[in-house]
Amino acid sequence: MTADDSFGRLDDDDFPAYTMGRAAEMLGTTQGFLRAIGEARLITPLRSAGGHRRYSRYQLRIAARARELVDQGTPIEAACRIVILEDQLEEAQRINTEHHEGVRPSGAADA
């Protein structure tokens, strides 16, 4: 991948653009927090060729939600489980909406 290819992917929510240090700084948390939510399997950062953790914007949003819960006093393991369930619910609702939008009323004629 060239530098031009990487630059073009910066708008990709799943592109692992952020180092652990930068991710922790952006979230206002510690690198230990990011390691802990990784160990709890909330997010799995991509590893660079040198073995360094790299995070995507999507992963940072997930981590930010977990941090909110932890800051409110929720144990980290419970916070991770809550965030996973919230994410699954959001996906199920999206699929359900797509399904219902794709279903035509009975008796509708084909175009």
Side-chain angles (χ1 to χ4, degrees):
M1 180 179 296
T2 67
D4 287 340
D5 292 337
S6 294
F7 185 73
R9 295 194 60 196
L10 290 178
D11 62 343
D12 180 353
D13 257 5
D14 295 318
F15 182 68
Y18 304 98
T19 63
M20 177 181 268
R22 180 68 179 128
E25 180 183 314
M26 291 170 67
L27 294 171
T29 191
T30 65
Q31 293 181 16
F33 175 79
L34 292 172
R35 282 188 206 93
I37 63 175
E39 289 170 9
R41 298 180 186 210
L42 177 60
I43 57 176
T44 304
L46 189 70
R47 296 285 183 148
S48 69
H52 300 282
R53 292 173 178 90
R54 306 282 296 188
Y55 298 88
S56 68
R57 287 189 305 192
Y58 172 75
Q59 289 173 323
L60 295 183
R61 282 195 303 275
I62 295 292
R65 176 64 181 133
R67 180 168 182 246
E68 284 177 16
L69 292 168
V70 169
D71 288 350
Q72 294 170 5
T74 306
I76 197 162
E77 296 82 12
C80 290
R81 185 67 182 137
I82 289 167
V83 173
I84 288 167
L85 291 170
E86 288 175 343
D87 198 49
Q88 289 173 344
L89 176 60
E90 183 179 317
E91 177 69 6
Q93 288 172 329
R94 183 191 62 76
I95 291 168
N96 191 35
T97 298
E98 287 176 1
H99 173 73
H100 285 292
E101 288 173 354
V103 174
R104 291 187 303 210
S106 62
D110 287 336

